[in-house]
Amino acid sequence: MSRIENQVGEDTGRFAWYRTLGERGRKAWIGAFGGYALDSYDFQVLPLSLVAIGAYFHLSTGQAGLLTTVTLVVSAIGGALAGILVDRIGRTKTLMITVAAFALFTVLCGFAGSFEQLLVFRTLQGLGFGGEWATGAILVAEYAKPKYRGRAVAFIQSSWAVGWALSVLVYTLVFSFAPADLAWRVLFWTGALPAVLLLFVRRNVKDADAATERRLSSEKRGGFAEIFKGPMGRTTFFASLLATGVQGGYYTLASWVPTYLKVDRGLSVVGTGGYLTFLISGAFIGYVSGGYLTDRLGRKKTFLLFSVLSTLVIFAYVNIPAGANTLVLILGFPLGFFTSAIFSGFGSFLSELYPAHLRGTGQGFTYNFGRAVGAFFPTLVGFLASTLGVGGAMIFGAAGYAIAVLALFGLPETKNRELA
C-alpha cells in the first residue's frame, strides 16, 4: 500500500510503524528482528534433534527433559543479568553479547562427546538465549512512536515463528541427507548463522540518542534493588505475576497438548509437517495481529482478550472427539494464533512501565522471572496427570491465564505513553 499522510503531514499508512522509526531505527529493528529469529532457530535445534540425541547418548526421558528445562531456567538468569547490562553498557552492546553467546554455545553443542558435555553447553547457551529478546525489544521500543510502539515491537516477536520455520526446514534437509548420528551435530553447527548478523549490528545499529542521554544522565544505574523500591516494587510484582501466568499457560500447552492428542486420542497427525505448518502459521499471524490490537485496544485489554481465548483453546483441545484428525490439524492454527498473540504486548508494555535507567533491569527481570516459574508448570501437570489424567491436569494451564488476568488489576494502562 502506498504511503498515506493526514492533513498535518503525519504518516498514517499501513507500515507507518516501520517508516516512522527513522533510518537508524529501521536498522535497529532489522538487527533485533534477525537476532530474535536466530535466537528461535538455535533454541529449536534441540527439540527437533532430541530423538536422535537420545538414541546417540542412550538417554532416559528424564535426561532428555532436563536438557529443555535447564535451558529455560538458565535463560531466565541470563535474561535478568542481560537486563542489568542493558542499563549499564547500553542496548546495542548487550545485543551483540547475547547473540554471540547463544551462537557460540549452540555450535559447541554439536561437538559434545557426552550427555554431560551437552548439558553444560546447553546451559551456557541459555544465558544468551534469555537476554536477546528483552534487549532487542527495548532497543526498538525507544525508537518507536508511542502510537505505533505495540506493533513495531510485536513484529520483532513474530520473528520467533520465522526462526522456528527456518529450523524445521533445515532440520528436514539435514536429516534427509545425513545419518541421524551425524545430522543432529550438523544441525547444531548451523547455529553459527548469527555470526553474520553480528557484523551487521556492529556496523549499523546504535542506541536511540534520547534514551542514551536519559540513561547516562541518571545518577542511578540498573540494579535489582532499585526495581523493588517504593511504587516501582508494586509494578515489578504484578508485571512478574503477569509474565508467570502467560508463560506458565504457554509452556503447559506446548509441553502437553501433543502428548494428550497423540497418546490419549491416538491422533498420529500431531507432530507431522502439516501440523507444524498450521501451528507456525498461526503463531506468526498471531504475533503480528496482537501487535496491532495492543495499539488499538490498549495493552491490558489485549492481554485480557487473549488470556480468555487461550483458555478456550485448552478446553477445545481436550474435548476433541476421538479420531477427529482433520479437526486437530485445523485447530493447530488457532492454537498457534491465540497462545502467540498474547506475547505481542510484552515488549511495549514492559518498556513503558520502567524509566530509562531501569528499563533493561525491570523488563529483563519480570519477563524472565515469569519464564523461570512458568517452566515448572508442565512439571506440575505431569504429577497431576497420574491422578487426573493429562486432559484434566491441563486445566492447570488455564489457571496460568487466570493468574495473568488477576495481575492486570495491579498494573496501569500504558497505551500512547511517552518513554521516560
Side-chain angles (χ1 to χ4, degrees):
M1 179 177 289
S2 60
R3 177 173 173 170
I4 299 174
E5 294 185 358
N6 60 21
Q7 293 181 348
V8 295
E10 180 184 10
D11 188 351
T12 58
R14 179 172 297 176
F15 294 100
W17 63 267
Y18 180 74
R19 289 190 294 268
T20 55
L21 289 171
E23 182 180 356
R24 286 177 56 183
R26 289 192 290 271
K27 290 179 179 179
W29 186 90
I30 292 171
F33 185 96
Y36 198 50
L38 292 171
D39 196 7
S40 170
Y41 179 93
D42 281 9
F43 176 80
Q44 297 293 345
V45 163
L46 175 66
L48 289 170
S49 305
L50 200 52
V51 172
I53 292 171
Y56 186 87
F57 289 121
H58 307 289
L59 303 182
S60 67
T61 54
Q63 288 175 311
L66 182 60
L67 288 169
T68 298
T69 299
V70 75
T71 304
L72 292 172
V73 174
V74 175
S75 71
I77 298 172
L81 294 176
I84 293 180
L85 283 180
V86 164
D87 290 333
R88 296 195 175 189
I89 68 173
R91 287 52 166 148
T92 302
K93 290 181 180 178
T94 306
L95 179 65
M96 293 180 65
I97 291 172
T98 58
V99 171
F102 73 68
L104 172 63
F105 292 112
T106 299
V107 172
L108 289 178
C109 283
F111 291 99
S114 66
F115 166 72
E116 290 75 18
Q117 289 181 7
L118 181 60
L119 185 63
V120 170
F121 290 143
R122 187 66 177 179
T123 299
L124 294 173
Q125 188 249 27
L127 292 175
F129 164 70
E132 198 284 334
W133 175 81
T135 306
I138 292 170
L139 177 64
V140 173
E142 291 175 336
Y143 274 107
K145 289 184 176 296
K147 65 183 296 183
Y148 298 132
R149 187 176 295 124
R151 69 200 80 173
V153 180
F155 268 94
I156 299 297
Q157 195 89 44
S158 74
S159 66
W160 179 267
V162 174
W164 186 6
L166 179 61
S167 68
V168 171
L169 175 61
V170 175
Y171 159 78
T172 302
L173 292 173
V174 171
F175 275 77
S176 295
F177 293 100
D181 58 352
L182 173 63
W184 71 266
R185 293 186 183 276
V186 174
L187 198 58
F188 273 112
W189 293 336
T190 63
L193 286 171
V196 178
L197 178 70
L198 285 176
L199 296 176
F200 173 83
V201 173
R202 182 173 182 179
R203 294 178 180 178
N204 298 282
V205 180
K206 306 293 182 183
D207 291 3
D209 291 336
T212 300
E213 183 178 349
R214 286 192 294 267
R215 178 176 62 84
L216 295 178
S217 64
S218 174
E219 296 180 358
K220 300 178 180 179
R221 291 291 180 267
F224 293 130
E226 294 296 320
I227 63 174
F228 289 101
K229 290 182 178 179
M232 198 59 65
R234 172 187 170 89
T235 296
T236 297
F237 173 79
F238 283 106
S240 298
L241 198 63
L242 175 66
T244 297
V246 171
Q247 295 188 83
Y250 175 79
Y251 290 137
T252 297
L253 288 170
S255 300
W256 286 106
V257 165
T259 298
Y260 173 74
L261 294 175
K262 186 174 183 180
V263 176
D264 289 23
R265 297 293 189 178
L267 303 176
S268 60
V269 69
V270 175
T272 65
Y275 176 85
L276 288 175
T277 298
F278 273 72
L279 188 65
I280 295 172
S281 298
F284 178 81
I285 297 174
Y287 285 132
V288 173
S289 301
Y292 279 89
L293 283 175
T294 198
D295 280 337
R296 291 181 179 274
L297 300 180
R299 287 33 169 162
K300 294 174 63 174
K301 288 182 180 178
T302 304
F303 277 116
L304 175 61
L305 173 65
F306 287 114
S307 290
V308 173
L309 292 175
S310 295
T311 299
L312 293 177
V313 166
I314 295 177
F315 284 100
Y317 254 71
V318 300
N319 288 289
I320 292 175
N325 295 38
T326 302
L327 182 58
V328 173
L329 186 68
I330 294 173
L331 286 182
F333 186 89
L335 174 66
F337 185 95
F338 296 139
T339 58
S340 298
I342 195 170
F343 283 91
S344 297
F346 267 115
S348 54
F349 192 41
L350 295 180
S351 293
E352 291 159 349
L353 288 175
Y354 292 93
H357 70 283
L358 291 176
R359 188 162 295 131
T361 305
Q363 185 158 333
F365 175 85
T366 55
Y367 188 82
N368 287 286
F369 177 88
R371 173 181 283 164
V373 179
F376 289 97
F377 274 50
T379 302
L380 180 57
V381 170
F383 284 112
L384 293 175
S386 61
T387 55
L388 301 177
V390 175
M394 281 177 57
I395 302 302
F396 191 69
Y401 292 110
I403 290 172
V405 172
L406 290 175
L408 293 174
F409 288 99
L411 293 168
E413 175 55 61
T414 60
K415 179 184 176 182
N416 293 326
R417 176 179 290 185
E418 295 284 352
L419 294 184

